[in-house]
Amino acid sequence: MDMEDTQKTDIQALQTQIDALKNKIAQLEDARKDQLSIAVVSGDMDKILAAMVISIAAAAMDTQVKLFFSFWSLSALRDPKKTGEGKDVISKMFGWMLPKGQGKLALSNMNMVGMGPMMIKYLMKKQNVMSLETMFKEAGELGIEIVVCEMSMGLMGFKKEEFIDYPHLSYAGAATFVADAGESSIQLFI
Amino acid sequence: MTEQELKSAVVARSVDARGTACPGPLLEAKKAIGSIVSGDIMEILSADEGTKQDIPKWCGKQGHEYLGAVEENGYFKVYMKKK
C-alpha cells in the first residue's frame, strides 16, 4: 500500500513537470514569428546580392521578410534618374562619391576599378542569375519590406525623393529593427 | 517514389524553370503552387542542382509532400504533391 502511494506521488510530480514543460514550449513557440530580419549595412554588390537572394528564398517559403537598410547599403536604393534637392556641400560630395543605384555598386573583393562588377554581371547573365534590379522587383511583388534607417540617410545626406519606387518602403529608427528582429525567428547582419 | 513511378505520375502542372538560377526555380514553384489544388502533383524542371535540395526543404516547411527527383539530360525534374 505504501509503495502504491509513493508511485502515485511520483506520477503526480512527473505530471506537474510535464505540464510546466508544455507551458514553456508553448511560450517559446509564440515568441518567434516565421519572420526574417536582416540589418543590411554593406553597400557592396555581392553582399546586397546575398541579402536579396536569401530574402527572396525566404519570401518564396512564405516567411515574412523585413530588411533594414542603413549606411552604405542606402546606395543600392538610390534611383539613378532621381536627384535630391536642397543639399549642403558635404551631402553633395557624398552624393557624387557614392554609387548611384544598384547598377553602380562595387564588389567587396576583386573590384578592380569596376572590372570585377562587369565580369560578375556578365557571368550572372550567362548563368541565368537574376540581376539586382530584377531581384528588387521580385522582392516588391513578394511583399518584402524595406525599412530605411533615417539616421544614416541624414548622415549621408540622402533625400527620400532620390530613392527607388519600391512598394513597401518605409523610414524608421534602430528601435524598429530591434523590435522586428526580436520577434523574428531568423536575424542576420550583412 | 521510384524513378519509374515518378515518370508515369499524372502531373497537374509542369513548371519549366530551366532559364533561371537560384532562387529562381523556388520562386517559380511558389508562383505556380496557387494554380493547382490539394493532392495535385507538380513537376519543376531546373538546371540548377541546388533545386533538388531546396524543393524538399520548401515542401517540408509548407507541408507539401516531396516525391523525388529524376535526372534528365542536363537538367532535373523535381516532383511534389500539394497538401
Short mmCIF file of all heavy atoms in Angstrom, two decimals, chain A residues 8-73:
data_model
loop_
_atom_site.label_atom_id
_atom_site.label_comp_id
_atom_site.label_asym_id
_atom_site.label_seq_id
_atom_site.Cartn_x
_atom_site.Cartn_y
_atom_site.Cartn_z
N LYS A 8 2.16 6.84 -6.80
CA LYS A 8 1.16 7.84 -7.16
C LYS A 8 1.75 9.25 -7.07
O LYS A 8 1.56 10.07 -7.97
CB LYS A 8 -0.06 7.72 -6.22
CG LYS A 8 -1.34 7.30 -6.95
CD LYS A 8 -2.51 7.33 -5.99
CE LYS A 8 -3.64 6.45 -6.50
NZ LYS A 8 -4.64 6.20 -5.45
N THR A 9 2.44 9.48 -5.94
CA THR A 9 3.05 10.80 -5.75
C THR A 9 4.08 11.07 -6.85
O THR A 9 4.15 12.17 -7.41
CB THR A 9 3.76 10.88 -4.37
OG1 THR A 9 3.15 9.95 -3.48
CG2 THR A 9 3.72 12.28 -3.82
N ASP A 10 4.86 10.05 -7.17
CA ASP A 10 5.87 10.19 -8.24
C ASP A 10 5.21 10.58 -9.56
O ASP A 10 5.67 11.49 -10.26
CB ASP A 10 6.64 8.88 -8.44
CG ASP A 10 7.69 8.69 -7.35
OD1 ASP A 10 7.89 9.64 -6.57
OD2 ASP A 10 8.27 7.59 -7.29
N ILE A 11 4.15 9.86 -9.88
CA ILE A 11 3.45 10.13 -11.15
C ILE A 11 2.89 11.54 -11.17
O ILE A 11 3.00 12.26 -12.17
CB ILE A 11 2.34 9.08 -11.41
CG1 ILE A 11 3.00 7.72 -11.72
CG2 ILE A 11 1.43 9.50 -12.56
CD1 ILE A 11 2.05 6.56 -11.76
N GLN A 12 2.33 11.95 -10.02
CA GLN A 12 1.78 13.31 -9.93
C GLN A 12 2.87 14.36 -10.15
O GLN A 12 2.68 15.34 -10.88
CB GLN A 12 1.11 13.53 -8.57
CG GLN A 12 -0.36 13.12 -8.58
CD GLN A 12 -0.97 13.14 -7.19
OE1 GLN A 12 -0.29 13.44 -6.21
NE2 GLN A 12 -2.25 12.81 -7.12
N ALA A 13 4.01 14.10 -9.49
CA ALA A 13 5.15 15.03 -9.63
C ALA A 13 5.58 15.12 -11.10
O ALA A 13 5.82 16.21 -11.63
CB ALA A 13 6.31 14.58 -8.76
N LEU A 14 5.65 13.96 -11.74
CA LEU A 14 6.03 13.93 -13.16
C LEU A 14 5.02 14.70 -14.01
O LEU A 14 5.38 15.47 -14.90
CB LEU A 14 6.10 12.49 -13.66
CG LEU A 14 7.44 11.78 -13.45
CD1 LEU A 14 7.32 10.32 -13.87
CD2 LEU A 14 8.54 12.46 -14.27
N GLN A 15 3.73 14.48 -13.72
CA GLN A 15 2.67 15.15 -14.45
C GLN A 15 2.81 16.67 -14.34
O GLN A 15 2.69 17.39 -15.34
CB GLN A 15 1.30 14.71 -13.89
CG GLN A 15 0.12 15.13 -14.75
CD GLN A 15 0.20 14.53 -16.16
OE1 GLN A 15 0.39 13.32 -16.32
NE2 GLN A 15 0.10 15.38 -17.18
N THR A 16 3.11 17.14 -13.12
CA THR A 16 3.28 18.58 -12.90
C THR A 16 4.45 19.10 -13.74
O THR A 16 4.36 20.15 -14.39
CB THR A 16 3.58 18.86 -11.40
OG1 THR A 16 2.78 18.00 -10.62
CG2 THR A 16 3.31 20.31 -11.05
N GLN A 17 5.53 18.31 -13.74
CA GLN A 17 6.70 18.73 -14.53
C GLN A 17 6.39 18.79 -16.02
O GLN A 17 6.78 19.73 -16.71
CB GLN A 17 7.85 17.75 -14.30
CG GLN A 17 8.61 18.01 -13.00
CD GLN A 17 9.77 17.05 -12.80
OE1 GLN A 17 10.14 16.35 -13.73
NE2 GLN A 17 10.33 17.05 -11.61
N ILE A 18 5.66 17.77 -16.48
CA ILE A 18 5.30 17.74 -17.91
C ILE A 18 4.44 18.96 -18.27
O ILE A 18 4.66 19.62 -19.29
CB ILE A 18 4.56 16.43 -18.27
CG1 ILE A 18 5.56 15.26 -18.22
CG2 ILE A 18 3.92 16.51 -19.65
CD1 ILE A 18 4.91 13.89 -18.34
N ASP A 19 3.48 19.28 -17.41
CA ASP A 19 2.62 20.44 -17.67
C ASP A 19 3.43 21.73 -17.74
O ASP A 19 3.21 22.57 -18.62
CB ASP A 19 1.55 20.56 -16.57
CG ASP A 19 0.49 19.46 -16.70
OD1 ASP A 19 0.42 18.85 -17.79
OD2 ASP A 19 -0.24 19.21 -15.73
N ALA A 20 4.39 21.84 -16.80
CA ALA A 20 5.24 23.03 -16.79
C ALA A 20 6.03 23.14 -18.09
O ALA A 20 6.14 24.21 -18.69
CB ALA A 20 6.18 22.98 -15.58
N LEU A 21 6.57 21.99 -18.53
CA LEU A 21 7.35 21.98 -19.78
C LEU A 21 6.47 22.33 -20.98
O LEU A 21 6.88 23.07 -21.87
CB LEU A 21 7.98 20.60 -19.99
CG LEU A 21 9.25 20.34 -19.18
CD1 LEU A 21 9.67 18.88 -19.32
CD2 LEU A 21 10.38 21.25 -19.65
N LYS A 22 5.24 21.78 -20.99
CA LYS A 22 4.31 22.07 -22.09
C LYS A 22 4.05 23.58 -22.18
O LYS A 22 4.04 24.14 -23.28
CB LYS A 22 2.99 21.33 -21.87
CG LYS A 22 2.97 19.93 -22.44
CD LYS A 22 1.57 19.35 -22.28
CE LYS A 22 1.51 17.91 -22.73
NZ LYS A 22 0.28 17.26 -22.23
N ASN A 23 3.84 24.19 -21.03
CA ASN A 23 3.61 25.64 -21.00
C ASN A 23 4.81 26.40 -21.55
O ASN A 23 4.67 27.35 -22.32
CB ASN A 23 3.37 26.10 -19.56
CG ASN A 23 1.91 25.92 -19.17
OD1 ASN A 23 1.04 25.94 -20.04
ND2 ASN A 23 1.66 25.71 -17.89
N LYS A 24 5.98 25.96 -21.12
CA LYS A 24 7.22 26.61 -21.53
C LYS A 24 7.38 26.53 -23.06
O LYS A 24 7.72 27.51 -23.72
CB LYS A 24 8.41 25.94 -20.83
CG LYS A 24 9.73 26.63 -21.01
CD LYS A 24 9.86 27.81 -20.07
CE LYS A 24 10.87 28.80 -20.61
NZ LYS A 24 10.72 30.12 -20.00
N ILE A 25 7.12 25.35 -23.61
CA ILE A 25 7.23 25.15 -25.06
C ILE A 25 6.24 26.05 -25.80
O ILE A 25 6.58 26.69 -26.79
CB ILE A 25 7.03 23.66 -25.43
CG1 ILE A 25 8.25 22.85 -24.97
CG2 ILE A 25 6.85 23.50 -26.95
CD1 ILE A 25 8.06 21.36 -25.05
N ALA A 26 5.02 26.12 -25.27
CA ALA A 26 4.00 26.96 -25.90
C ALA A 26 4.47 28.41 -25.92
O ALA A 26 4.31 29.12 -26.93
CB ALA A 26 2.68 26.83 -25.14
N GLN A 27 5.09 28.84 -24.83
CA GLN A 27 5.61 30.21 -24.76
C GLN A 27 6.69 30.44 -25.82
O GLN A 27 6.69 31.44 -26.53
CB GLN A 27 6.24 30.46 -23.40
CG GLN A 27 5.26 30.92 -22.33
CD GLN A 27 5.95 31.03 -20.97
OE1 GLN A 27 7.17 31.04 -20.90
NE2 GLN A 27 5.15 31.09 -19.92
N LEU A 28 7.61 29.47 -25.89
CA LEU A 28 8.71 29.60 -26.85
C LEU A 28 8.20 29.63 -28.28
O LEU A 28 8.70 30.38 -29.12
CB LEU A 28 9.70 28.43 -26.69
CG LEU A 28 10.56 28.46 -25.43
CD1 LEU A 28 11.36 27.17 -25.30
CD2 LEU A 28 11.51 29.65 -25.47
N GLU A 29 7.19 28.82 -28.55
CA GLU A 29 6.63 28.79 -29.91
C GLU A 29 5.98 30.11 -30.28
O GLU A 29 6.05 30.55 -31.40
CB GLU A 29 5.62 27.63 -30.03
CG GLU A 29 6.30 26.31 -30.31
CD GLU A 29 5.34 25.15 -30.36
OE1 GLU A 29 4.19 25.31 -29.90
OE2 GLU A 29 5.73 24.09 -30.86
N ASP A 30 5.36 30.75 -29.30
CA ASP A 30 4.69 32.02 -29.56
C ASP A 30 5.67 33.17 -29.75
O ASP A 30 5.39 34.13 -30.44
CB ASP A 30 3.76 32.37 -28.37
CG ASP A 30 2.51 31.52 -28.41
OD1 ASP A 30 2.28 30.91 -29.47
OD2 ASP A 30 1.78 31.46 -27.42
N ALA A 31 6.81 33.06 -29.08
CA ALA A 31 7.74 34.18 -29.01
C ALA A 31 8.30 34.59 -30.38
O ALA A 31 8.54 35.76 -30.62
CB ALA A 31 8.88 33.85 -28.06
N ARG A 32 8.53 33.64 -31.25
CA ARG A 32 9.17 33.95 -32.53
C ARG A 32 8.24 33.73 -33.70
O ARG A 32 7.65 32.67 -33.84
CB ARG A 32 10.42 33.05 -32.70
CG ARG A 32 11.51 33.35 -31.69
CD ARG A 32 12.26 34.59 -32.10
NE ARG A 32 13.21 35.01 -31.09
CZ ARG A 32 14.45 34.54 -30.98
NH1 ARG A 32 14.86 33.61 -31.81
NH2 ARG A 32 15.25 34.99 -30.07
N LYS A 33 8.14 34.76 -34.52
CA LYS A 33 7.32 34.64 -35.72
C LYS A 33 8.13 33.98 -36.83
O LYS A 33 9.36 34.00 -36.79
CB LYS A 33 6.91 36.02 -36.20
CG LYS A 33 5.77 36.65 -35.46
CD LYS A 33 5.29 37.84 -36.28
CE LYS A 33 4.94 39.00 -35.40
NZ LYS A 33 4.75 40.22 -36.14
N ASP A 34 7.43 33.49 -37.84
CA ASP A 34 8.10 32.97 -39.03
C ASP A 34 8.51 34.19 -39.85
O ASP A 34 7.84 34.57 -40.80
CB ASP A 34 7.12 32.07 -39.80
CG ASP A 34 7.77 31.45 -41.02
OD1 ASP A 34 9.01 31.53 -41.14
OD2 ASP A 34 7.04 30.89 -41.84
N GLN A 35 9.55 34.84 -39.42
CA GLN A 35 9.96 36.12 -39.99
C GLN A 35 11.47 36.23 -40.05
O GLN A 35 12.17 35.75 -39.16
CB GLN A 35 9.39 37.23 -39.11
CG GLN A 35 9.66 38.64 -39.60
CD GLN A 35 8.88 39.66 -38.78
OE1 GLN A 35 7.67 39.77 -38.90
NE2 GLN A 35 9.56 40.39 -37.93
N LEU A 36 11.96 36.85 -41.14
CA LEU A 36 13.40 37.06 -41.32
C LEU A 36 13.69 38.55 -41.25
O LEU A 36 13.07 39.33 -41.96
CB LEU A 36 13.83 36.49 -42.68
CG LEU A 36 15.17 36.93 -43.26
CD1 LEU A 36 16.34 36.39 -42.46
CD2 LEU A 36 15.30 36.46 -44.71
N SER A 37 14.59 38.93 -40.36
CA SER A 37 15.01 40.32 -40.27
C SER A 37 16.48 40.41 -40.62
O SER A 37 17.30 39.70 -40.05
CB SER A 37 14.84 40.83 -38.83
OG SER A 37 13.51 41.17 -38.60
N ILE A 38 16.81 41.29 -41.56
CA ILE A 38 18.23 41.48 -41.90
C ILE A 38 18.60 42.95 -41.74
O ILE A 38 17.90 43.82 -42.27
CB ILE A 38 18.57 41.04 -43.34
CG1 ILE A 38 18.05 39.62 -43.65
CG2 ILE A 38 20.08 41.08 -43.59
CD1 ILE A 38 18.40 39.11 -45.04
N ALA A 39 19.69 43.20 -41.02
CA ALA A 39 20.26 44.54 -40.99
C ALA A 39 21.24 44.58 -42.17
O ALA A 39 22.27 43.92 -42.14
CB ALA A 39 20.98 44.78 -39.69
N VAL A 40 20.88 45.30 -43.23
CA VAL A 40 21.73 45.39 -44.42
C VAL A 40 22.54 46.68 -44.30
O VAL A 40 21.98 47.77 -44.46
CB VAL A 40 20.90 45.38 -45.73
CG1 VAL A 40 21.82 45.25 -46.93
CG2 VAL A 40 19.88 44.27 -45.72
N VAL A 41 23.82 46.55 -44.02
CA VAL A 41 24.66 47.71 -43.80
C VAL A 41 25.65 47.91 -44.94
O VAL A 41 25.96 49.03 -45.34
CB VAL A 41 25.42 47.57 -42.45
CG1 VAL A 41 26.37 48.74 -42.23
CG2 VAL A 41 24.43 47.49 -41.29
N SER A 42 26.13 46.80 -45.50
CA SER A 42 27.12 46.88 -46.57
C SER A 42 26.50 47.35 -47.89
O SER A 42 25.35 47.02 -48.19
CB SER A 42 27.73 45.49 -46.79
OG SER A 42 28.50 45.51 -47.97
N GLY A 43 27.26 48.12 -48.62
CA GLY A 43 26.78 48.57 -49.93
C GLY A 43 27.51 47.85 -51.06
O GLY A 43 27.45 48.28 -52.21
N ASP A 44 28.21 46.78 -50.74
CA ASP A 44 28.90 46.02 -51.78
C ASP A 44 27.89 45.23 -52.58
O ASP A 44 26.94 44.67 -52.03
CB ASP A 44 29.91 45.04 -51.16
CG ASP A 44 31.04 45.76 -50.44
OD1 ASP A 44 31.46 46.82 -50.94
OD2 ASP A 44 31.47 45.27 -49.39
N MET A 45 28.12 45.15 -53.88
CA MET A 45 27.20 44.46 -54.77
C MET A 45 26.98 43.01 -54.33
O MET A 45 25.85 42.53 -54.29
CB MET A 45 27.78 44.49 -56.18
CG MET A 45 26.91 43.85 -57.21
SD MET A 45 27.97 43.36 -58.60
CE MET A 45 26.77 42.56 -59.61
N ASP A 46 28.08 42.32 -54.00
CA ASP A 46 27.96 40.90 -53.63
C ASP A 46 27.14 40.71 -52.37
O ASP A 46 26.38 39.73 -52.24
CB ASP A 46 29.34 40.24 -53.50
CG ASP A 46 30.37 41.13 -52.81
OD1 ASP A 46 30.15 42.34 -52.72
OD2 ASP A 46 31.39 40.59 -52.35
N LYS A 47 27.27 41.66 -51.43
CA LYS A 47 26.55 41.49 -50.17
C LYS A 47 25.06 41.86 -50.31
O LYS A 47 24.20 41.21 -49.73
CB LYS A 47 27.22 42.31 -49.08
CG LYS A 47 28.59 41.70 -48.79
CD LYS A 47 29.34 42.35 -47.69
CE LYS A 47 30.72 41.68 -47.60
NZ LYS A 47 31.60 42.40 -46.71
N ILE A 48 24.78 42.86 -51.13
CA ILE A 48 23.37 43.20 -51.40
C ILE A 48 22.72 42.02 -52.14
O ILE A 48 21.59 41.63 -51.86
CB ILE A 48 23.27 44.48 -52.27
CG1 ILE A 48 23.90 45.68 -51.55
CG2 ILE A 48 21.83 44.76 -52.67
CD1 ILE A 48 23.07 46.29 -50.45
N LEU A 49 23.51 41.43 -53.04
CA LEU A 49 23.03 40.26 -53.79
C LEU A 49 22.68 39.13 -52.83
O LEU A 49 21.60 38.52 -52.94
CB LEU A 49 24.15 39.83 -54.74
CG LEU A 49 23.80 39.06 -55.99
CD1 LEU A 49 22.84 39.84 -56.85
CD2 LEU A 49 25.07 38.75 -56.80
N ALA A 50 23.57 38.86 -51.88
CA ALA A 50 23.33 37.80 -50.89
C ALA A 50 22.06 38.09 -50.09
O ALA A 50 21.21 37.21 -49.91
CB ALA A 50 24.52 37.65 -49.96
N ALA A 51 21.92 39.35 -49.66
CA ALA A 51 20.74 39.73 -48.87
C ALA A 51 19.47 39.49 -49.67
O ALA A 51 18.47 38.97 -49.14
CB ALA A 51 20.84 41.19 -48.44
N MET A 52 19.51 39.84 -50.96
CA MET A 52 18.31 39.71 -51.78
C MET A 52 17.99 38.25 -52.10
O MET A 52 16.82 37.85 -52.10
CB MET A 52 18.45 40.52 -53.09
CG MET A 52 18.54 42.02 -52.88
SD MET A 52 17.34 42.70 -51.72
CE MET A 52 15.84 42.64 -52.70
N VAL A 53 19.01 37.44 -52.37
CA VAL A 53 18.77 36.02 -52.67
C VAL A 53 18.15 35.32 -51.46
O VAL A 53 17.14 34.62 -51.58
CB VAL A 53 20.09 35.30 -53.08
CG1 VAL A 53 19.87 33.79 -53.15
CG2 VAL A 53 20.59 35.81 -54.42
N ILE A 54 18.71 35.58 -50.28
CA ILE A 54 18.18 34.95 -49.06
C ILE A 54 16.75 35.44 -48.81
O ILE A 54 15.86 34.64 -48.49
CB ILE A 54 19.08 35.28 -47.84
CG1 ILE A 54 20.47 34.65 -48.04
CG2 ILE A 54 18.45 34.77 -46.54
CD1 ILE A 54 21.52 35.13 -47.04
N SER A 55 16.52 36.74 -49.00
CA SER A 55 15.19 37.30 -48.76
C SER A 55 14.14 36.71 -49.70
O SER A 55 13.03 36.40 -49.29
CB SER A 55 15.21 38.82 -48.96
OG SER A 55 16.09 39.40 -48.04
N ILE A 56 14.51 36.59 -50.99
CA ILE A 56 13.56 36.06 -51.97
C ILE A 56 13.25 34.60 -51.67
O ILE A 56 12.09 34.17 -51.72
CB ILE A 56 14.08 36.27 -53.41
CG1 ILE A 56 14.02 37.77 -53.75
CG2 ILE A 56 13.28 35.45 -54.42
CD1 ILE A 56 14.69 38.14 -55.04
N ALA A 57 14.29 33.83 -51.31
CA ALA A 57 14.07 32.42 -50.96
C ALA A 57 13.14 32.33 -49.75
O ALA A 57 12.22 31.52 -49.72
CB ALA A 57 15.40 31.72 -50.67
N ALA A 58 13.37 33.18 -48.75
CA ALA A 58 12.55 33.16 -47.54
C ALA A 58 11.10 33.52 -47.88
O ALA A 58 10.16 32.84 -47.46
CB ALA A 58 13.10 34.13 -46.50
N ALA A 59 10.93 34.59 -48.68
CA ALA A 59 9.58 35.03 -49.04
C ALA A 59 8.87 33.96 -49.86
O ALA A 59 7.66 33.76 -49.72
CB ALA A 59 9.64 36.35 -49.79
N ALA A 60 9.62 33.26 -50.72
CA ALA A 60 9.02 32.18 -51.52
C ALA A 60 8.54 31.06 -50.62
O ALA A 60 7.63 30.31 -50.96
CB ALA A 60 10.01 31.66 -52.55
N MET A 61 9.16 30.95 -49.44
CA MET A 61 8.75 29.93 -48.48
C MET A 61 7.75 30.51 -47.48
O MET A 61 7.56 29.97 -46.39
CB MET A 61 9.97 29.37 -47.75
CG MET A 61 10.87 28.54 -48.67
SD MET A 61 12.45 28.14 -47.91
CE MET A 61 12.09 26.57 -47.15
N ASP A 62 7.12 31.64 -47.86
CA ASP A 62 6.10 32.29 -47.04
C ASP A 62 6.60 32.81 -45.69
O ASP A 62 5.82 32.96 -44.75
CB ASP A 62 4.88 31.38 -46.83
CG ASP A 62 4.06 31.26 -48.10
OD1 ASP A 62 4.22 32.12 -48.98
OD2 ASP A 62 3.27 30.30 -48.21
N THR A 63 7.88 33.07 -45.59
CA THR A 63 8.42 33.70 -44.40
C THR A 63 8.33 35.21 -44.62
O THR A 63 8.67 35.70 -45.70
CB THR A 63 9.90 33.29 -44.19
OG1 THR A 63 9.95 31.89 -43.97
CG2 THR A 63 10.54 34.01 -43.01
N GLN A 64 7.83 35.93 -43.63
CA GLN A 64 7.75 37.39 -43.71
C GLN A 64 9.17 37.95 -43.70
O GLN A 64 10.01 37.48 -42.92
CB GLN A 64 6.95 37.88 -42.49
CG GLN A 64 6.77 39.38 -42.41
CD GLN A 64 5.74 39.89 -43.40
OE1 GLN A 64 4.85 39.16 -43.79
NE2 GLN A 64 5.90 41.11 -43.82
N VAL A 65 9.48 38.91 -44.59
CA VAL A 65 10.85 39.44 -44.63
C VAL A 65 10.87 40.94 -44.38
O VAL A 65 10.13 41.70 -45.00
CB VAL A 65 11.53 39.14 -45.99
CG1 VAL A 65 12.97 39.65 -46.00
CG2 VAL A 65 11.52 37.64 -46.29
N LYS A 66 11.74 41.37 -43.46
CA LYS A 66 11.92 42.79 -43.20
C LYS A 66 13.40 43.15 -43.31
O LYS A 66 14.23 42.62 -42.58
CB LYS A 66 11.40 43.13 -41.79
CG LYS A 66 9.91 42.96 -41.69
CD LYS A 66 9.34 43.47 -40.39
CE LYS A 66 7.81 43.38 -40.44
NZ LYS A 66 7.20 43.82 -39.20
N LEU A 67 13.72 44.01 -44.26
CA LEU A 67 15.11 44.41 -44.48
C LEU A 67 15.31 45.82 -43.95
O LEU A 67 14.60 46.75 -44.34
CB LEU A 67 15.44 44.38 -45.98
CG LEU A 67 15.23 43.04 -46.68
CD1 LEU A 67 15.52 43.17 -48.17
CD2 LEU A 67 16.13 41.97 -46.08
N PHE A 68 16.29 45.95 -43.07
CA PHE A 68 16.59 47.25 -42.50
C PHE A 68 17.85 47.78 -43.18
O PHE A 68 18.95 47.26 -42.96
CB PHE A 68 16.80 47.10 -40.99
CG PHE A 68 16.88 48.40 -40.24
CD1 PHE A 68 15.74 49.14 -39.95
CD2 PHE A 68 18.10 48.88 -39.80
CE1 PHE A 68 15.82 50.33 -39.25
CE2 PHE A 68 18.19 50.08 -39.09
CZ PHE A 68 17.05 50.81 -38.82
N PHE A 69 17.69 48.77 -44.06
CA PHE A 69 18.83 49.30 -44.82
C PHE A 69 19.44 50.49 -44.09
O PHE A 69 18.74 51.46 -43.79
CB PHE A 69 18.37 49.77 -46.21
CG PHE A 69 18.39 48.68 -47.25
CD1 PHE A 69 17.53 47.59 -47.15
CD2 PHE A 69 19.25 48.76 -48.36
CE1 PHE A 69 17.55 46.59 -48.12
CE2 PHE A 69 19.26 47.75 -49.33
CZ PHE A 69 18.42 46.67 -49.21
N SER A 70 20.76 50.40 -43.84
CA SER A 70 21.41 51.56 -43.26
C SER A 70 22.83 51.73 -43.80
O SER A 70 23.38 50.82 -44.42
CB SER A 70 21.40 51.49 -41.73
OG SER A 70 22.39 50.63 -41.27
N PHE A 71 23.40 52.87 -43.59
CA PHE A 71 24.74 53.26 -44.06
C PHE A 71 24.98 52.95 -45.54
O PHE A 71 24.19 53.34 -46.38
CB PHE A 71 25.82 52.65 -43.15
CG PHE A 71 25.96 53.44 -41.88
CD1 PHE A 71 25.22 53.10 -40.75
CD2 PHE A 71 26.78 54.56 -41.83
CE1 PHE A 71 25.31 53.85 -39.59
CE2 PHE A 71 26.87 55.32 -40.66
CZ PHE A 71 26.14 54.96 -39.54
N TRP A 72 26.05 52.22 -45.85
CA TRP A 72 26.47 52.08 -47.25
C TRP A 72 25.42 51.42 -48.14
O TRP A 72 25.38 51.65 -49.34
CB TRP A 72 27.77 51.28 -47.34
CG TRP A 72 28.83 51.80 -46.42
CD1 TRP A 72 29.38 51.15 -45.36
CD2 TRP A 72 29.46 53.11 -46.45
NE1 TRP A 72 30.29 51.96 -44.73
CE2 TRP A 72 30.37 53.16 -45.37
CE3 TRP A 72 29.33 54.22 -47.28
CZ2 TRP A 72 31.14 54.28 -45.10
CZ3 TRP A 72 30.11 55.34 -47.01
CH2 TRP A 72 31.00 55.36 -45.93
N SER A 73 24.56 50.60 -47.53
CA SER A 73 23.56 49.88 -48.34
C SER A 73 22.55 50.84 -48.98
O SER A 73 21.90 50.49 -49.95
CB SER A 73 22.81 48.87 -47.47
OG SER A 73 21.98 49.54 -46.55
#
